[in-house]
Amino acid sequence: MIKSNRNCINGFLFAGILNCLGCMSAAAQPKVIGIDELFELADANSKSIKVHNLAVAEAVQAVKVSKNDRLPSIEASLSFSYIGDGWMSDRDFSNGIKAEMPHFGNNFAFKATQAVYTGGAISTGIEMSELQKQVADAELDNDKQNIRFMLVGHYLDLYQLNNQRKVYQKNIEQTKLLIEEIESAFEQGTALKSDITRYELQLKNLELGLTNVLNRIKILNRELVTTIGLDTNVEIIPDTTLFAMGLDKKSELHWQEERMNAPVLKLANLGVELSERRQDMVRAGRRPTVGLMASNNFDGPILIEVPPINKNFNYWFVGVNVTYKFDSLFKNNKKLKQAKLATLKARENQLLVDEKLSNGVNAAYINLDEAYTRLDSKEKSVQLAHENYDVVHSRYINGLSLVTDMLDASNIQLSSELELANAQVGILYQYFLLKKTVGTL
């Protein structure tokens, strides 16, 4: 009777877990997605990438705007006015008299100017705009790398958790079979009730571990689908062919050379170039500007005459305009010193970024080597754990070992299988980290 009730309770609990799994599967829409498709969806739907794409478009437009400074400036104005009567007096404001004025006034002015020489300000401004466009491109690439690495991390975690789910389910089935064997031995008087209780506790811990894994899968899946723009009901199934492919580890020297194209290093290099252009812009402010100008004015009446002449007067001129700001001789020195310090800081930052990248590549490559070694070790551990479990199980059935020995063997087997699943994913993680570090993910 005790055995029957216990079996009913265990069956009910495990059936509940399977029912939850069935409900999740019914509500979810399984979809196998590979890494490349994952990246394509992120590029198309990631809100962060959309923002950076707009920043690139804005920078492209800024280059066009800065090139407009090379074009001539043309302006025209037209006005009509009512002119009131004038008043005239002596210098001591005595003997004032009213001066009749023509009341209708008109003005039309047309002016065109063309910059000939600006000390390099226009060309430097265009170069700075083009560099800002390159900065926007590098920031977009860097954002893509960060998002892709985040997605790869979630993707590998999802694969790892699915492996853990299979390991837990396998161990739950194995534990249930073992409980049945112990119950049979208990009925024959060759096992203790405490042995059954211990394995029932073991079963509960395994079921709790399975529940935890299932919940983590749901959370990770939600983060993935929302980032790549899929419906929240979609259940992402990792493409297992990815984990069977051979990785071209290459040499560390190859990866060190690849780092020169990393977006973060490009940003540091562009920071130096921008600082140098800012120095050029300050120097341009210390030079004269030369421009061509043409103007035409059509005014009426002529008010500079006394009495005023109620006629229209048109005049035009063309010429050369030369401007020099003498205050730049003592004002721009401090600005130039500030710009030089900013350039020195940008160069030091460039060296710092390159040093961090080099160290990061070295660390990632060493960790990749270690991941391969760890996988070999974990595969051997699983083999030994299975052999140990089989031996202890056989000894226990024949009354030659204690239930505590069986529990230890079960725990060792579970732990080794979970560590193997982690080690398999660890290789891919370190490989993708290496690619992300050099900006080729």
Side-chain angles (χ1 to χ4, degrees):
M1 185 65 178
I2 294 173
K3 174 185 174 183
S4 176
N5 289 339
R6 186 179 294 114
N7 286 338
C8 288
I9 293 171
N10 290 337
F12 175 77
L13 290 173
F14 191 67
I17 292 176
L18 293 178
N19 186 48
C20 290
L21 284 170
C23 291
M24 183 179 72
S25 300
Q29 302 171 17
K31 181 178 177 63
V32 178
I33 295 180
I35 289 290
D36 291 337
E37 184 181 358
L38 193 72
F39 291 166
E40 289 174 2
L41 289 169
D43 290 347
N45 300 310
S46 169
K47 295 179 178 61
S48 179
I49 290 177
K50 285 180 179 179
V51 170
H52 281 85
N53 278 325
L54 289 172
V56 171
E58 182 184 10
V60 170
Q61 196 64 28
V63 173
K64 296 178 182 178
V65 171
S66 63
K67 288 180 178 180
N68 285 343
D69 292 338
R70 288 175 173 168
L71 301 176
S73 174
I74 302 173
E75 57 184 274
S77 63
L78 176 65
S79 66
F80 300 96
S81 59
Y82 176 84
I83 303 171
D85 290 332
W87 184 78
M88 187 167 53
S89 70
D90 295 337
R91 295 289 291 169
D92 60 358
F93 301 102
S94 61
N95 300 319
I97 59 173
K98 179 181 179 182
E100 294 289 339
M101 299 283 286
H103 294 299
F104 175 74
N106 58 270
N107 170 266
F108 174 74
F110 177 84
K111 183 179 181 181
T113 58
Q114 172 64 58
V116 177
Y117 175 74
T118 60
I122 292 178
S123 58
T124 301
I126 294 172
E127 289 175 7
M128 290 181 68
S129 296
E130 290 171 343
L131 287 173
Q132 290 288 2
K133 193 267 179 184
Q134 294 178 42
V135 168
D137 286 332
E139 287 177 342
L140 172 62
D141 290 340
N142 191 49
D143 188 57
K144 282 184 178 180
Q145 292 296 307
N146 290 334
I147 289 176
R148 288 181 176 187
F149 186 66
M150 178 197 71
L151 292 175
V152 162
H154 288 343
Y155 190 83
L156 295 179
D157 285 344
L158 200 58
Y159 177 79
Q160 185 180 40
L161 288 170
N162 281 323
N163 281 347
Q164 290 180 9
R165 176 173 65 181
K166 293 174 185 177
V167 170
Y168 273 112
Q169 288 172 340
K170 172 187 166 186
N171 278 270
I172 286 172
E173 290 297 330
Q174 189 178 58
T175 303
K176 289 179 67 179
L177 290 174
L178 186 58
I179 289 175
E180 291 178 2
E181 291 177 353
I182 298 174
E183 286 176 340
S184 177
F186 173 71
E187 290 178 352
Q188 297 172 9
T190 57
L192 300 174
K193 183 180 177 182
S194 60
D195 296 346
I196 300 174
T197 302
R198 287 181 179 181
Y199 263 93
E200 285 178 339
L201 290 172
Q202 175 82 344
L203 179 61
K204 292 290 181 283
N205 289 331
L206 290 172
E207 290 172 347
L208 179 60
L210 176 60
T211 301
N212 178 260
V213 167
L214 293 175
N215 288 334
R216 289 168 62 193
I217 288 175
K218 290 180 183 177
I219 293 169
L220 274 178
N221 189 79
R222 171 87 179 201
E223 291 180 3
L224 272 174
V225 296
T226 53
T227 301
I228 62 179
L230 296 181
D231 191 89
T232 53
N233 289 330
V234 174
E235 180 187 358
I236 294 178
I237 307 298
D239 183 7
T240 54
T241 59
L242 170 70
F243 304 90
M245 72 175 187
L247 301 180
D248 187 3
K249 190 171 69 168
K250 302 178 183 177
S251 66
E252 183 183 349
L253 179 60
H254 168 83
W255 294 107
Q256 292 289 2
E257 292 173 350
E258 284 284 324
R259 85 176 192 276
M260 304 309 296
N261 297 318
V264 289
L265 188 56
K266 286 182 180 179
L267 286 169
N269 295 337
L270 289 168
V272 174
E273 293 186 52
L274 274 170
S275 290
E276 291 173 348
R277 296 293 81 76
R278 290 189 183 100
Q279 284 189 62
D280 294 339
M281 189 64 78
V282 174
R283 291 189 181 99
R286 302 168 67 178
R287 301 184 184 115
T289 60
V290 180
L292 300 177
M293 57 186 302
S295 178
N296 184 83
N297 289 272
F298 182 80
D299 299 323
I302 304 171
L303 300 179
I304 58 173
E305 295 289 336
V306 180
I309 302 174
N310 193 17
K311 290 185 178 182
N312 293 319
F313 178 63
N314 185 79
Y315 63 96
W316 62 271
F317 64 87
V318 294
V320 177
N321 179 41
V322 179
T323 304
Y324 184 77
K325 297 181 179 179
F326 286 95
D327 59 348
S328 65
L329 293 174
F330 54 87
K331 284 184 177 179
N332 282 22
N333 289 337
K334 295 177 181 178
K335 290 182 181 179
L336 184 59
K337 185 176 181 180
Q338 180 185 17
K340 288 180 177 178
L341 288 172
T343 302
L344 287 174
K345 184 178 74 172
R347 286 175 181 158
E348 288 298 323
N349 181 65
Q350 180 189 41
L351 295 174
L352 178 62
V353 169
D354 186 48
E355 179 184 292
K356 287 183 177 179
L357 267 180
S358 179
N359 291 339
V361 169
N362 176 259
Y365 192 81
I366 291 174
N367 288 334
L368 181 59
D369 265 342
E370 183 181 333
Y372 277 105
T373 304
R374 185 182 297 109
L375 178 63
D376 292 339
S377 174
K378 296 307 177 185
E379 286 175 343
K380 186 64 176 178
S381 296
V382 168
Q383 177 188 342
L384 295 175
H386 287 169
E387 292 174 359
N388 177 66
Y389 180 85
D390 292 340
V391 170
V392 174
H393 177 243
S394 176
R395 289 172 60 83
Y396 179 76
I397 294 301
N398 294 313
L400 299 177
S401 63
L402 301 174
V403 70
T404 53
D405 298 326
M406 278 297 298
L407 284 171
D408 289 341
S410 297
N411 289 330
I412 291 172
Q413 180 177 253
L414 174 62
S415 176
S416 63
E417 288 176 345
L418 291 176
E419 288 175 359
L420 175 61
N422 295 343
Q424 290 170 338
V425 173
I427 290 178
L428 283 170
Y429 179 84
Q430 291 299 331
Y431 177 73
F432 285 124
L433 174 59
L434 195 53
K435 289 177 70 69
K436 187 262 180 186
T437 303
V438 299
T440 58
L441 186 57

